[in-house]
Amino acid sequence: MTPSSPTPIATRSGDNSDLPLPLWELVALMVAITGLVALSIDMMLPALDDIAADLDVARANSQQNVISAYLLGFAVAQIIYGPLSDRFGRKPVMMGAIGVYLIVTLICAMTPSFTLLLTARFAQGAAAAASRVITVAIARDLTSGRRMAEIMSLVMTAFMAVPVLAPAMGQLIMVVADWRWIFGALFLFGIALLAWIHIRLPETLHPEYRVPLKVSTTVATFAEALRNRQLLGYTLAAMAFFGGLYAFLNSSQQVFISTYGLGDNQFPLAFAIIATGMGAMSFINSRLVQRLGQRRLAHTALIVFTAVSLVHTASLLAGVHSAAAFLGLLAIALAALGLIAANFSSIAMEPMGHIAGTASAAYGMISGVGGTFVGWAIGQLYDGTAIPLIAGQALMGAAAIAIVLVTERGRLFGTGDETHH
């Protein structure tokens, strides 16, 4: 076995006996690490109006920047954590990033201005970006292929409880305190997570697979990743798809509360219904991916997402504007995320085992930066109706299908075992 062709631990044994933690704890810890990202986004959603009022934000759509600034920092910084984790290991880099997260979260809590809040939110997202890169890299260190997709689906299934509960948690905090205490809760969560990682998580990157931290090596490694047809194609497809999702995150509070008249207590419930659908599909994915393969599930779900979004757009243009119809169709479309996210990531990473950290960073940065700007652009088109959001999602779904078709050379619904270069 050479350093360019590492064998995942779980692949060698064929079961969970060689995992460094019990499967349930490994999944729970990965959920907590990735949950830091979702909590930092979704707990803020009920507070956007209060933040805008407290910090004298004049333009209503500008409150969306509290979400977009975080997403942009989250996406951009992933390019840093890949090489760092490939050189120094997964654990020390993750712990250092959480330390930075704690500092900037306190700044968010104490900010006197909207500009400083956006700056600190960018930094908060940049610190939290380590969680996305390193959890995928840890999964690739330990597993590969359909086994990796199965474990990532279990993580995604449990993770979906976070966005189900997070807006309600934020709303509950605001019942007894102001929006600044949401950041206080995030700070306490970060402290607990740091302790868990320090005590229980061993290093998963074997010393012989560490890559020297040199500019020339880093550039060459990124170039190698981006020359791979499979990784690049699914990265660009994910960028389009996540653009539609981020548009929803940016404008969900305005659409549900301002457009459809849901109260502050009803908004978290509507958000929970959508997140529950995503979680249910993630669980289904974890049960089916070994039998059907990543491509069949992901491609089918992407087509469903696009078709439902097109039907939804047509219904809005035809004058169907009931809250129940909007929530139902949007929940069906976004449930597809549970069959797309883990599988897209797994397909993209399959040929990248020898540079998993850097490849994960490339995937996350490109799909995240592009998705953030697409989502921001769609969100800024909010005009008091849901038409820009839903039409934007339909367009992004169609773009993702086109990119996948090119990547797969016109073939869809493969088994997921092929590797394209």
Side-chain angles (χ1 to χ4, degrees):
M1 182 173 62
T2 66
S4 63
S5 183
T7 301
I9 293 172
T11 300
R12 291 198 296 269
S13 67
D15 56 27
N16 301 323
S17 60
D18 286 335
L19 294 176
L21 297 173
L23 180 61
W24 71 266
E25 186 178 2
L26 179 64
V27 170
L29 180 56
M30 293 175 73
V31 168
I33 293 172
T34 54
L36 189 69
V37 178
L39 287 172
S40 301
I41 297 170
D42 299 334
M43 284 180 70
M44 302 308 305
L45 296 177
L48 293 181
D49 282 342
D50 285 29
I51 291 172
D54 192 25
L55 299 180
D56 299 320
V57 178
R59 185 171 174 268
N61 283 356
S62 294
Q63 70 183 33
Q64 297 180 14
N65 294 335
V66 175
I67 306 300
S68 292
Y70 178 92
L71 291 172
L72 184 60
F74 175 78
V76 169
Q78 291 183 48
I79 195 173
I80 300 172
Y81 294 115
L84 286 177
S85 70
D86 280 345
R87 170 62 183 88
F88 297 108
R90 317 307 186 197
K91 183 173 180 177
V93 174
M94 188 70 247
M95 293 183 66
I98 294 176
V100 174
Y101 176 92
L102 293 174
I103 294 171
V104 296
T105 297
L106 288 178
I107 295 174
C108 288
M110 297 183 291
T111 182
S113 73
F114 191 62
T115 299
L116 180 58
L117 175 63
L118 295 184
T119 303
R121 282 287 284 175
F122 178 89
Q124 190 185 39
S131 66
R132 191 237 163 258
V133 175
I134 292 175
T135 51
V136 174
I138 288 172
R140 186 59 186 86
D141 288 340
L142 302 175
T143 62
S144 68
R146 295 188 183 186
R147 180 60 173 148
M148 177 181 171
E150 181 183 22
I151 288 181
M152 291 305 295
S153 291
L154 289 172
V155 172
M156 183 69 81
T157 300
F159 166 81
M160 283 305 169
V162 178
V164 167
L165 299 174
M169 293 165 61
Q171 188 66 51
L172 182 61
I173 290 171
M174 292 181 63
V175 170
V176 298
D178 67 20
W179 60 268
R180 297 175 187 273
W181 282 99
I182 294 177
F183 289 108
L186 292 173
F187 179 84
L188 294 176
F189 180 81
I191 290 287
L193 180 58
L194 191 65
W196 191 0
I197 293 172
H198 174 68
I199 295 170
R200 292 291 294 161
L201 182 67
E203 180 55 58
T204 61
L205 179 65
H206 293 293
E208 62 266 32
Y209 300 139
R210 299 194 179 196
V211 179
L213 191 61
K214 298 179 181 178
V215 173
S216 59
T217 302
T218 300
V219 171
T221 305
F222 270 100
E224 178 186 351
L226 295 179
R227 282 196 302 268
N228 185 278
R229 182 187 186 95
Q230 186 167 312
L231 181 133
L232 180 60
Y234 278 89
T235 298
L236 295 176
M239 178 185 73
F241 176 78
F242 284 120
L245 176 65
Y246 292 165
F248 166 70
L249 290 176
N250 282 331
S251 57
S252 61
Q253 193 258 5
Q254 290 169 288
V255 170
F256 278 121
I257 293 179
S258 299
T259 301
Y260 288 101
L262 273 64
D264 289 340
N265 295 328
Q266 294 172 311
F267 168 60
L269 177 60
F271 201 91
I273 290 172
I274 291 172
T276 298
M278 295 182 194
M281 288 299 103
S282 292
F283 178 77
I284 290 172
N285 187 70
S286 71
R287 301 297 93 189
L288 295 181
V289 68
Q290 291 278 11
R291 179 153 51 93
L292 299 179
Q294 301 100 297
R295 285 178 172 81
R296 288 175 183 166
L297 291 170
H299 297 171
T300 300
L302 184 58
I303 291 170
V304 169
F305 169 82
T306 306
V308 173
S309 297
L310 286 170
V311 170
H312 197 174
T313 301
S315 72
L316 291 173
L317 291 173
V320 179
H321 294 297
S322 76
F326 174 79
L327 177 59
L329 288 171
L330 183 61
I332 293 170
L334 291 182
L337 176 65
L339 295 173
I340 295 174
N343 288 323
F344 267 33
S345 176
S346 179
I347 295 168
M349 290 291 293
E350 178 58 25
M352 299 286 105
H354 59 297
I355 51 170
T358 301
S360 176
Y363 176 88
M365 185 198 69
I366 295 172
S367 63
V369 171
T372 297
F373 279 109
V374 169
W376 176 84
I378 295 173
Q380 291 299 301
L381 294 174
Y382 175 71
D383 58 359
T385 75
I387 293 173
L389 170 62
I390 303 304
Q393 289 182 333
L395 180 62
M396 289 303 101
I401 291 173
I403 294 168
V404 169
L405 277 169
V406 171
T407 302
E408 299 286 354
R409 296 184 172 91
R411 297 182 303 145
L412 295 180
F413 313 114
T415 64
D417 295 323
E418 305 89 351
T419 299
H420 301 295
H421 298 279

